[in-house]
Amino acid sequence: GTCGSHGGDIRATGTVTISGAVIEDGTIKSDDLSSNAPKGANIYIDGNVKLIRSKLTGGTNLKNDGTTPGYESGSICMWSGTVLIDTCLVTGSNCGGILSGTTGHVYGTTIVNNNAYGYWSWNASQTLQNCVIFGNTKDGKLKEYAGNQPSGDNGSCINCAVSENSLSKDKYPTLTFVTEADFVDYANGDYRPGETSKLVDAGATDTREGAQVLDLAGKARLSEGIDIGCYEYQHSNMTVSFTVPVLEP
């Protein structure tokens, strides 16, 4: 969708759960570059919303001329309410990944390859756990976060994976630093962890009621040794072979 106000594709208000959605190519057009500019190119959240096992791609914010990048409004804007984002992929936005001004809880989500920041929060408590924030850049420079760091001053960042030196391990000691080699085919948009990826088994055990038992691709999540990000590496089943001796009569 294309609009000149909040939420290029969806404006979610009240109490609602969105699950298994593909939300793509939302566009906002506005010449307003102030903090009052329209936000949430793919989805604008203004309520107690759960966004679960969904893929958000291609969010765009443009000026009215249709060519010039507009405000860094986020693919997702969490504006008010208490928001849960769980097992989602946020990628390919020209206006940032997730923008949060409210209480946000983000679990097992991959925020990759967005222009502008990956995660931007201000004056709000954030919880990020088992999330990937990687390869988000502006003008060729790494910009995994903006404003307050991803957890905010009052939040937490637990077992997340980021580009090296984009966040401080002194503040977030459970960080994992990753590179493009930790994904199956980063250059072509395959953000699953490979067999030797540092994402595999590096997540924190998720004991929440309602924690997702499937990854974004519908594959089983492990109850322990969970992977970081929205995809779970599928370990091959172990095959055991043996020979039974034949006894002579």
Side-chain angles (χ1 to χ4, degrees):
T2 300
C3 71
S5 60
H6 300 307
D9 278 323
I10 297 172
R11 181 166 183 163
T13 61
T15 300
V16 64
T17 297
I18 300 170
S19 182
V22 176
I23 306 171
E24 58 187 0
D25 300 332
T27 301
I28 292 172
K29 286 188 176 181
S30 173
D31 289 333
D32 189 348
L33 297 180
S34 74
S35 59
N36 296 318
K39 299 172 181 68
N42 282 321
I43 183 169
Y44 179 87
I45 296 173
D46 188 15
N48 299 321
V49 174
K50 296 179 180 179
L51 180 61
I52 298 170
R53 293 188 60 240
S54 294
K55 183 177 181 180
L56 299 95
T57 64
T60 303
N61 193 320
L62 300 171
K63 289 186 177 181
N64 285 322
D65 63 13
T67 60
T68 307
Y71 185 74
E72 295 178 358
S73 61
S75 169
I76 299 172
C77 176
M78 303 188 292
W79 187 253
S80 70
T82 299
V83 181
L84 170 68
I85 297 177
D86 199 340
T87 315
C88 292
L89 173 65
V90 183
T91 187
S93 163
N94 88 326
C95 51
I98 297 178
L99 174 67
S100 179
T102 190
T103 301
H105 304 287
V106 187
Y107 294 88
T109 288
T110 299
I111 307 164
V112 291
N113 199 23
N114 296 287
N115 189 51
Y117 55 85
Y119 200 99
W120 181 2
S121 68
W122 73 95
N123 299 327
S125 178
Q126 313 294 307
T127 299
L128 280 79
Q129 179 171 308
N130 299 343
C131 293
V132 175
I133 309 173
F134 180 82
N136 304 285
T137 61
K138 182 179 181 182
D139 299 328
K141 297 180 180 179
L142 199 64
K143 196 172 183 182
E144 306 294 30
Y145 65 90
N148 291 338
Q149 295 194 353
S151 68
D153 293 334
N154 302 312
S156 58
C157 186
I158 305 165
N159 290 66
C160 291
V162 298
S163 305
E164 189 168 6
N165 298 323
S166 61
L167 292 175
S168 169
K169 270 200 169 186
D170 291 336
K171 186 171 184 178
Y172 307 117
T174 61
L175 285 176
T176 296
F177 292 139
V178 292
T179 68
E180 291 185 12
D182 288 295
F183 303 91
V184 169
D185 190 356
Y186 181 85
N188 291 300
D190 189 340
Y191 304 121
R192 295 175 298 158
E195 182 177 6
T196 61
S197 172
K198 294 188 288 294
L199 301 170
V200 174
D201 297 341
T205 301
D206 194 344
T207 58
R208 294 174 298 130
E209 182 178 352
Q212 296 303 298
V213 297
L214 300 177
D215 74 355
L216 185 59
K219 306 296 184 181
R221 284 280 203 194
L222 302 177
S223 58
E224 296 182 3
I226 191 172
D227 296 350
I228 298 176
C230 63
Y231 295 110
E232 189 81 10
Y233 177 74
Q234 299 301 303
H235 296 270
S236 299
N237 293 327
M238 182 179 294
T239 301
V240 178
S241 60
F242 55 90
T243 302
V244 177
V246 177
L247 301 179
E248 295 293 336

